[in-house]
């Protein structure tokens, strides 16, 4: 559960708020009545969720590059946050092959700059650095990777995120270890789906573009298995992690995994098949026989730590995850109001996740049950 009283009027500085996950997080923070400031480059695609859902209306929107330390420090200092959530990144594996230097500059030195800016900003109490499930040294194990397993990465993107984890650990030990120092935690999640993702070389955005153009979707590796989860699931975990990090009765630090249960570990083919059923039954896919960079066939996270210590667990099963996603893209294809569509899904999800404080009793209680048909 997320505490409504914790987030009300909290000053939050979010990097990467113009991206896919960042836009969803900004809308969640708005619903939780936080005072959020976003710092990011222009939205990375056209179209994009930030513009479609008019996210700039609910967050103090600042354009800036995390590679520019002076600009970042000035923006963070001016907003005087209590909480920093670092999500800005170069997030694509194939793009990291094309430009490894920019990938490392953004994902590694960008993280250094965020932590350095937080160190220089009085009043920061917690910093969350978001990385990825791909930060682990992937050995194609059949069991889930635990937070204590070795970091690594075959490609520049994955490796840069492992480096970001090491940067966070070094800053935690070197500069944030004393009494009263801000807490630094990292979050690892991957294979997130949901409305508003338009990145190149991701399955659902590629499927949407193909299907609305009446083309077949070309899949590189339809048998690859991934732990699919809706974007709202790990974002909720991030918020719960921040709450726990600021609870003095708990010693919360280090890395945390957020992933779905075994039933949501499905093949790419299963994902696309379910998406077609909910979006357009006449759509089709074929297998791309060309040569492509290395991709793991299986990557699974062990989420026992988050489940046991944070009380976090997924709400949506695999079918619901795909259905919510397909409905969002169907609304876009049908030219419905995307701001309303997106907020409806946020509200339906938070309806099960948020503890509200009663204005009459001052006691916390759960909202109404999750509306499955959002």
């Amino acid at each position: 559960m997320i505490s409504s009283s914790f987030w009300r009027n909290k000053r939050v500085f979010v990097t990467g708020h113009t991206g896919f996950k960042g836009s969803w997080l900004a809308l969640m923070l708005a619903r939780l009545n936080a005072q959020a400031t976003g710092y990011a480059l222009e939205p990375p695609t056209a179209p994009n969720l930030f513009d479609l859902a008019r996210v700039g209306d609910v967050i103090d929107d600042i354009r800036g590059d995390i590679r520019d330390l002076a600009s970042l420090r000035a923006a963070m200092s001016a907003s005087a946050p209590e909480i920093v959530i670092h999500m800005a990144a170069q997030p694509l594996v194939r793009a990291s092959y094309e430009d490894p230097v920019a990938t490392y500059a953004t994902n590694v030195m960008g993280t250094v700059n965020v932590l350095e800016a937080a160190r220089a900003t009085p009043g920061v109490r917690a910093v969350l650095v978001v990385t990825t499930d791909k930060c682990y040294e992937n050995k194609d194990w059949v069991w889930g990777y635990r937070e204590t397993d070795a970091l690594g990465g075959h490609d520049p993107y994955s490796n840069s995120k492992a480096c970001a984890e090491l940067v966070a650990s070094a800053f935690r030990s070197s500069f944030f270890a004393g009494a009263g120092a801000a807490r630094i935690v990292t979050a690892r999640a991957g294979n997130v789906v949901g409305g508003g993702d338009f990145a190149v070389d991701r399955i659902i955005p590629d499927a949407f573009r193909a299907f609305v153009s009446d083309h077949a979707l070309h899949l590189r590796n339809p048998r690859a298995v991934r732990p699919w989860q809706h974007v709202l699931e790990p974002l909720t975990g991030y918020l719960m992690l921040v709450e726990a990090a600021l609870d003095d009765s708990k010693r919360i630090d280090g890395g945390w995994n957020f992933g779905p249960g075994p039933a949501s570990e499905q093949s790419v083919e299963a994902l696309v098949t379910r998406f077609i059923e909910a979006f357009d039954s006449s759509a089709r896919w074929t297998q791309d026989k060309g040569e492509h960079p290395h991709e793991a066939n299986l990557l699974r996270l062990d989420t026992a730590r988050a489940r046991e210590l944070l009380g976090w667990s997924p709400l949506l099963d695999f079918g619901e995850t795909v259905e919510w996603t397909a409905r969002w893209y169907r609304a876009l294809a049908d030219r419905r109001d995307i701001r309303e569509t997106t907020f409806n899904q946020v509200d339906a999800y938070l309806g099960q996740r948020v503890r509200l404080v009663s204005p009459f009793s001052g006691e916390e209680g759960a909202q109404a049950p999750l509306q499955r048909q959002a």
Side-chain angles (χ1 to χ4, degrees):
M1 303 290 285
I2 301 171
S3 170
S4 66
S5 59
F6 175 91
W7 290 99
R8 185 178 297 116
N9 296 322
K10 274 289 189 302
R11 297 185 306 279
V12 186
F13 188 89
V14 180
T15 70
H17 68 293
T18 59
F20 163 55
K21 290 174 70 175
S23 291
W24 278 98
L25 180 65
L27 296 176
M28 294 177 75
L29 290 171
R31 281 301 197 239
L32 293 169
N33 297 305
Q35 297 178 12
T37 298
Y39 181 91
L41 297 173
E42 296 293 329
T45 62
N48 57 80
L49 178 59
F50 184 84
D51 290 333
L52 289 169
R54 304 190 294 282
V55 176
D57 294 345
V58 300
I59 191 170
D60 185 8
D61 178 23
I62 300 175
R63 290 291 179 270
D65 192 328
I66 58 172
R67 294 172 293 185
D68 183 346
L69 176 58
S71 174
L72 176 62
R73 287 181 62 168
M76 192 180 296
S77 176
S79 65
E82 301 168 73
I83 296 164
V84 176
I85 301 178
H86 173 39
M87 301 181 68
Q90 192 298 97
L92 301 175
V93 172
R94 288 170 71 89
S96 76
Y97 281 107
E98 296 167 1
D99 194 347
V101 173
T103 298
Y104 281 100
T106 299
N107 295 351
V108 183
M109 287 308 301
T111 300
V112 170
N113 289 343
V114 169
L115 292 172
E116 183 65 8
R119 187 163 76 98
T121 304
V124 172
R125 300 175 59 205
V127 182
L128 168 63
V129 177
V130 176
T131 63
T132 175
D133 59 351
K134 297 177 180 63
C135 69
Y136 293 105
E137 183 181 349
N138 195 317
K139 300 179 180 179
D140 286 324
W141 283 336
V142 296
W143 55 82
Y145 291 89
R146 298 168 297 178
E147 288 87 349
T148 54
D149 285 326
L151 302 175
H154 291 289
D155 57 87
Y157 165 72
S158 303
N159 186 266
S160 71
K161 285 298 195 174
C163 292
E165 288 278 351
L166 295 174
V167 166
S169 178
F171 265 76
R172 183 187 305 114
S173 300
S174 300
F175 306 116
F176 294 88
R183 309 303 299 273
I184 299 179
V185 288
T186 65
R188 305 159 183 177
N191 298 295
V192 171
V193 298
D197 188 0
F198 296 98
V200 176
D201 203 41
R202 282 194 183 142
I203 294 169
I204 294 298
D206 286 349
F208 172 73
R209 284 186 286 264
F211 297 161
V212 296
S213 301
D214 197 26
H215 295 148
L217 170 66
H218 301 292
L219 297 178
R220 294 191 304 272
N221 192 359
R223 294 185 180 86
V225 174
R226 297 288 184 268
W228 309 105
Q229 60 183 328
H230 194 275
V231 62
L232 290 170
E233 305 273 36
L235 292 180
T236 296
Y238 302 167
L239 297 179
M240 293 174 67
L241 178 56
V242 169
E243 289 186 34
L246 292 181
D247 185 340
D248 291 336
S249 67
K250 302 176 182 178
R251 298 301 299 173
I252 299 296
D253 58 16
W256 295 77
N257 291 338
F258 296 96
S264 291
E265 294 172 358
Q266 299 280 343
S267 69
V268 171
E269 179 179 358
L271 174 74
V272 172
T273 299
R274 293 296 292 265
F275 185 83
I276 288 173
E277 291 173 355
F279 180 81
D280 181 356
S281 60
S282 67
R284 62 200 187 281
W285 66 269
T286 62
Q287 184 167 359
D288 186 345
K289 301 293 187 178
E291 293 186 5
H292 302 283
H294 172 271
E295 290 183 272
N297 285 317
L298 178 66
L299 200 159
R300 176 179 293 148
L301 293 179
D302 184 326
T303 60
R305 190 182 189 210
R307 292 169 184 263
E308 293 171 9
L309 299 183
L310 299 181
W312 174 89
S313 62
L315 286 180
L316 303 177
D317 63 27
F318 176 69
E320 292 165 334
T321 293
V322 182
E323 184 175 341
W324 279 41
T325 302
R327 286 185 174 184
W328 191 98
Y329 284 102
R330 187 71 264 168
L332 178 62
D334 294 341
R335 299 186 177 184
R336 297 203 291 271
D337 187 325
I338 292 303
R339 181 186 178 91
E340 180 181 2
T341 296
T342 311
F343 262 131
N344 282 345
Q345 292 196 343
V346 169
D347 292 344
Y349 188 87
L350 290 181
Q352 183 69 9
R353 284 292 200 186
V354 176
R355 291 193 306 271
L356 291 177
V357 178
S358 166
F360 306 105
S361 66
E363 297 178 352
E364 291 193 327
Q367 276 195 22
L370 177 68
Q371 300 299 309
R372 298 291 188 181
Q373 301 300 315

